[in-house]
Amino acid sequence: MKKNSFATALSVLGLIALTFSLSGCGGGSAPADSPINPSPRYVVWNGNANGSTILDATGHPFAVDATNNTVIDLSTGAVIAGLNVDPSTATISDTTGVIGTVKAVAATGSGTVVVLRCNNPANQDMTLTITPQSWSHNCTTGTGNTGGGTTTPSYVNWSGNANGSTLLDGAGRTLAVRSSDLAVVDRSNNGSTILSGLRIDINNGSISDAGNTVFGSLVSVPAVIGNVLLLRCNSPASLNMILSVSAQGWSHNCGGSASGGGTTTPPSYANWTGNANGTTLIDGSGLSYAVISAPGQSTDRSLIDLSTNKSLSQVTVDTQGQIWLANTLIGNANLVTRNNANIVVLQCTPSNGSIIDMVITYSGTGWTHNCAVAQPIASRYLDLTASGNLNGEVIQDASNPIHHFSARLSDNALVDIDNNAVLAGLAVNTSTGALTQNGTALGQISLVAAGTVGTGKVAILMCTDATTRMAISYSATGWTHNCPSSSTTGGTTATDYIVWSGNSTVPNYAVLDAVATHRFAVQSADNLVVDISGAVPVRLLGLTIDTTHPTATTVLKLGNPIGTLVNLGGQIKLQCTNGNPMTLNVSSSSWSFGC
């Protein structure tokens, strides 16, 4: 929860009292399969809707390290060197003395949030300006920044380098120098391999090996984004250095054959006591992960996706099994019993307190983790109950026998729900009920007396003349209608739900899970899974299938693969990545899956 307005909050500040102290969250004993939580990593402020997070005047998040009272920039994890907050007095100090206080202000809606306030002028909102090299604070209106100090990032930032901490070799390999021990790290593909013996002097940029032989230097060269730092050979002096890195070691090339070099220290992974999988951790979708832990890398603790050998940016798992995203606790690596074996699973604790498996998903831009108890659902068809339609989502035509249709909300298409057919080109305006074919007016959804059904009305398809009830007819080539004086005659049909070859279940587009009464289907238009178990189908948002997967397997996805569709005895069934039957649980507002 972020603050609404500091200006507004000033007027009620005097009415708010806040006790500042360290406080743990929750209480009681930990579950048997959970690690014991250590003391809070950051100071938690009583009554603060944001917990340990403190905001400056711009809404930027900070926290106070519970061990030494230093201020941390939560967006980057950088230590704001020289800036401290005393939790017992709520005072903010830099190297010159006390410069402000931490105070509570009214939050949007209700509750309070904790913010940084200046001493001079009193109650002025404090703004912290952070760069990779330094920080400053602003306590006056319309003037420059004052005070400040240095920040401490994970990797050394280079002055004038548009890439910040990233260095490049001649082939585009990305490298960085770790702040804690000045080790050179191969950061290609978010990796963490240390190039043992390779040294880059942070003062003069010289490049040397374990024998102190200098064979290159960093040079600044212009690029599209600005000047960047490249590894350049000493001999010949104009040649960019190319590093070769493998599991056996590293070497450098300066125009001839590879020379020099040393060993590499690939990530070694932490073992987990009692884990049948050794170093491997599993997320809720069955993907495998590990945590870096090796001499010289004990401070890394990065979480690695073993299928790609890439680290998840800003995620670490500490020795207590706590999972951190930057400086926010998002879950735990817990020892649990699955299929008669004890394994370590990535889990998170949602706001309702129930521990569930964490599902990590990927996209073209990065990764996300899902700690929600369930995913949202959405209606599939336009519901006309509130408009007076006794049949809810069902719309009739004038055919004999009657055809039954519904308006698909995802794309406004008209679907023949009896025949699993989409009437191509025919669209319903879900606000007005107007029917168009490829943009040309064709008719209207109208409410008429139910007749033999009883009192009330039913929705029907009506032509534009407002008197002719529309009848849809089918042929081998598509559909036609009976509306007089219409410039359109009909169109083709398409399959609404995917029909599965070899499926003996009725209907032949039905997909089964582990519960006998459950039925699901997959939309042809976008491969989204739909629950068709009840009278009203609902879309399971986020759950899709990939029919073009490289393994030629129909893969079930919640961002990343969580299972497959398999033909078992002539029935198409949902199966988890680990091979167990999958159960989809659908409630009135959400869905979840179990393996």
Side-chain angles (χ1 to χ4, degrees), residues 192-256:
S192 302
T193 298
I194 295 175
L195 307 185
S196 302
L198 182 61
R199 300 170 182 173
I200 299 177
D201 192 306
I202 63 173
N203 295 310
N204 59 29
S206 63
I207 304 170
S208 59
D209 59 18
N212 294 320
T213 300
V214 176
F215 54 88
S217 62
L218 295 179
V219 295
S220 179
V221 298
V224 174
I225 61 174
N227 284 0
V228 299
L229 290 182
L230 288 180
L231 278 64
R232 183 69 58 82
C233 298
N234 279 357
S235 179
S238 60
L239 194 64
N240 294 334
M241 186 185 301
I242 296 177
L243 295 179
S244 297
V245 180
S246 68
Q248 290 71 43
W250 66 271
S251 60
H252 71 280
N253 191 316
C254 281

Side-chain angles (χ1 to χ4, degrees), residues 259-562:
S259 60
T263 60
T264 54
T265 306
S268 294
Y269 302 127
N271 279 288
W272 302 87
T273 302
N275 184 20
N277 290 330
T279 61
T280 300
L281 316 178
I282 304 297
D283 81 341
S285 65
L287 290 182
S288 298
Y289 296 86
V291 178
I292 291 178
S293 178
Q297 294 177 290
S298 59
T299 59
D300 195 348
R301 304 293 299 186
S302 295
L303 187 65
I304 304 295
D305 181 340
L306 294 178
S307 65
T308 62
N309 200 34
K310 292 183 178 181
S311 64
L312 276 65
S313 61
Q314 295 189 297
V315 178
T316 57
V317 182
D318 65 24
T319 56
Q320 300 296 319
Q322 295 185 119
I323 306 170
W324 299 90
L325 173 56
N327 299 290
T328 301
L329 182 65
I330 61 173
N332 289 275
N334 291 328
L335 187 67
V336 300
T337 301
R338 299 281 169 86
N339 297 323
N340 299 317
N342 292 329
I343 62 174
V344 176
V345 178
L346 303 178
Q347 295 186 317
C348 43
T349 306
S351 57
N352 67 359
S354 61
I355 297 177
I356 64 168
D357 294 354
M358 182 183 298
V359 176
I360 297 174
T361 60
Y362 298 90
S363 67
T365 57
W367 68 273
T368 58
H369 71 285
N370 173 21
C371 283
V373 174
Q375 300 294 312
I377 63 173
S379 299
R380 186 166 197 258
Y381 299 130
L382 175 66
D383 188 356
L384 297 171
T385 302
S387 300
N389 183 24
L390 291 175
N391 292 330
E393 299 177 342
V394 179
I395 307 163
Q396 301 176 178
D397 75 348
S399 300
N400 187 14
I402 293 171
H403 294 140
H404 299 94
F405 303 88
S406 288
R408 199 165 62 188
L409 290 173
S410 59
D411 57 3
N412 297 339
L414 192 68
V415 177
D416 184 332
I417 58 178
D418 297 327
N419 296 295
N420 189 33
V422 180
L423 279 62
L426 195 57
V428 178
N429 185 316
T430 56
S431 298
T432 65
L435 291 171
T436 58
Q437 184 184 356
N438 299 321
T440 300
L442 181 62
Q444 179 79 26
I445 297 175
S446 300
L447 290 173
V448 300
T452 57
V453 176
T455 59
K457 296 182 178 182
V458 294
I460 65 165
L461 301 179
M462 187 77 76
C463 297
T464 52
D465 62 6
T467 58
T468 306
R469 297 188 179 190
M470 187 183 303
I472 301 294
S473 302
Y474 295 103
S475 67
T477 58
W479 66 274
T480 58
H481 62 80
N482 66 327
C483 290
S485 304
S486 175
S487 60
T488 64
T489 57
T492 60
T493 58
T495 303
D496 183 24
Y497 295 125
I498 294 176
V499 174
W500 305 100
S501 176
N503 188 13
S504 62
T505 304
V506 179
N508 57 3
Y509 51 79
V511 177
L512 312 180
D513 71 350
V515 180
T517 57
H518 288 180
R519 294 290 185 275
F520 302 91
V522 181
Q523 295 182 161
S524 298
D526 56 9
N527 288 349
L528 188 74
V529 177
V530 177
D531 180 7
I532 58 172
S533 304
V536 179
V538 294
R539 292 173 289 162
L540 308 188
L541 299 185
L543 188 61
T544 61
I545 65 160
D546 182 359
T547 57
T548 62
H549 198 268
T551 62
T553 302
T554 301
V555 176
L556 191 67
K557 288 187 172 182
L558 179 59
N560 66 315
I562 62 171

